[in-house]
Amino acid sequence: MRRLFPVTDQTTTAPKGGAPGQGEGRQGDAGQGDAGGTGEWSLDALADAYAYPEDMGGTGGTGGAGDIGGTGGTRGAGGRAWLRANMVSTLDGAAHHGGRSQPLSHPADMRIFGTLRALADAVVVGAETVRQEQYRPTRARSGFAARRAAAGQAPVAAVAVVSAGLDLDFSQPLFTAPLVPTLVLTGAAAPADRIAAAERAGARVVIAGTGAGVEPARVVATLADLGYRRLLTEGGPRLLGQFVAAGVLDELCLTLAPLLTAGGAERIAGGPEVRVPARFELVSLLEEAGYVFGRYRRP
């Protein structure tokens, strides 16, 4: 992997060793592997490259107080949250192929994917993406244990599923066997029987809207109130579109795959067009095997 931007005196390869390996599909929570002289960046190098803003006080996922340093962020009573998205797109704008993002991925993409999960307090994802991508609980990785402990975080990121109707299979391991409870974010008017089913399975139901569904800004603020302030959304496109429209997305990590698919696949963000396009600034640009990994931040 090489750094294209910002340009430094080390733009070809980073220190080798200890990078996360490839998982099963893009959402497959990549495990650890050995770089073995392949030029892959180390765990620490990737984690430093994708670190959240500094000065984040409190304890991730347990309601600790504190602020996120830097600009942007959405404030809840428990502190300021930072919402980043991680998405993949083909050269012609497709966010998936055959309904899944896995065909667009690459081992380098999976290493970054696993790192972003390992840095987050919570992974926010839409119900349709959970169904299509067959989401599983996040897994603890020893390579990130010390970093998470030093930041006051739980051993793994919680998965937070956004759903209005709660049409989810609560017998799946995502709900019955996570290391930390899975969150289900819904509205106050969600079906009571489905809320009860989620709670029986061990999920924590969080109300983040006055109607049947959630309100995007309230999702971020409510998670911040609960202590989940380093937020990562993996989509899908409709959920990301809601965050964009609400103006609460702070950062976009975008993998540009050197692929063309044609067809009618969604873009990375869907829904109604925003009145004024939101401008983001380039923070960093990495490349490996023709895949380009951009990191963009709200000014």
Side-chain angles (χ1 to χ4, degrees):
M1 182 175 290
R2 58 186 178 131
R3 186 190 304 274
L4 303 180
F5 179 86
V7 177
T8 67
D9 58 0
Q10 185 177 20
T11 58
T12 54
T13 59
K16 302 175 183 178
Q22 186 176 10
E24 297 178 3
R26 194 170 191 266
Q27 85 84 26
D29 198 22
Q32 286 179 239
D34 183 3
T38 63
E40 296 172 1
W41 284 29
S42 70
L43 280 176
D44 284 339
L46 282 174
D48 289 345
Y50 284 93
Y52 280 84
E54 296 178 355
D55 302 324
M56 297 182 64
T59 302
T62 61
D67 289 345
I68 296 179
T71 61
T74 300
R75 180 177 290 280
R80 190 181 297 277
W82 185 270
L83 176 64
R84 80 168 23 142
N86 180 30
M87 302 292 284
V88 62
S89 173
T90 63
L91 295 176
D92 52 349
H96 57 77
H97 184 61
R100 301 191 65 190
S101 58
Q102 188 277 334
L104 311 183
S105 190
H106 177 271
D109 177 47
M110 290 306 306
R111 293 195 299 273
I112 291 173
F113 178 95
T115 299
L116 294 181
R117 277 195 163 196
L119 295 174
D121 294 333
V123 178
V124 186
V125 63
E128 182 61 22
T129 298
V130 167
R131 291 187 288 264
Q132 290 288 333
E133 302 279 0
Q134 302 174 12
Y135 260 58
R136 299 179 294 279
T138 52
R139 298 184 303 195
R141 281 167 258 159
S142 59
F144 289 102
R147 186 180 287 261
R148 291 187 67 87
Q153 294 176 284
V156 298
V159 176
V161 184
V162 176
S163 178
L166 280 69
D167 182 18
L168 297 158
D169 184 354
F170 294 118
S171 68
Q172 293 298 308
L174 175 62
F175 302 100
T176 62
L179 286 178
V180 296
T182 293
L183 309 177
V184 176
L185 300 171
T186 192
D193 60 329
R194 298 306 295 163
I195 290 178
E199 292 176 335
R200 284 196 301 271
R204 180 179 184 181
V205 177
V206 177
I207 303 301
T210 56
V214 302
E215 298 155 17
R218 188 169 169 184
V219 166
V220 177
T222 299
L223 288 173
D225 289 344
L226 296 174
Y228 301 95
R229 297 193 304 281
R230 301 169 182 87
L231 302 178
L232 170 67
T233 181
E234 297 170 353
R238 282 178 292 179
L239 179 60
L240 180 56
Q242 291 176 45
F243 286 135
V244 170
V248 295
L249 184 69
D250 297 295
E251 183 179 330
L252 173 64
C253 297
L254 177 63
T255 296
L256 184 61
L259 304 171
L260 294 169
T261 61
E266 294 176 283
R267 301 184 305 171
I268 64 167
E273 183 176 85
V274 298
R275 186 176 63 86
V276 178
R279 184 173 182 84
F280 279 53
E281 61 185 16
L282 181 64
V283 176
S284 67
L285 203 61
L286 309 176
E287 184 275 337
E288 182 171 319
Y291 282 75
V292 177
F293 308 97
R295 184 180 178 194
Y296 301 85
R297 181 176 294 179
R298 184 172 60 180

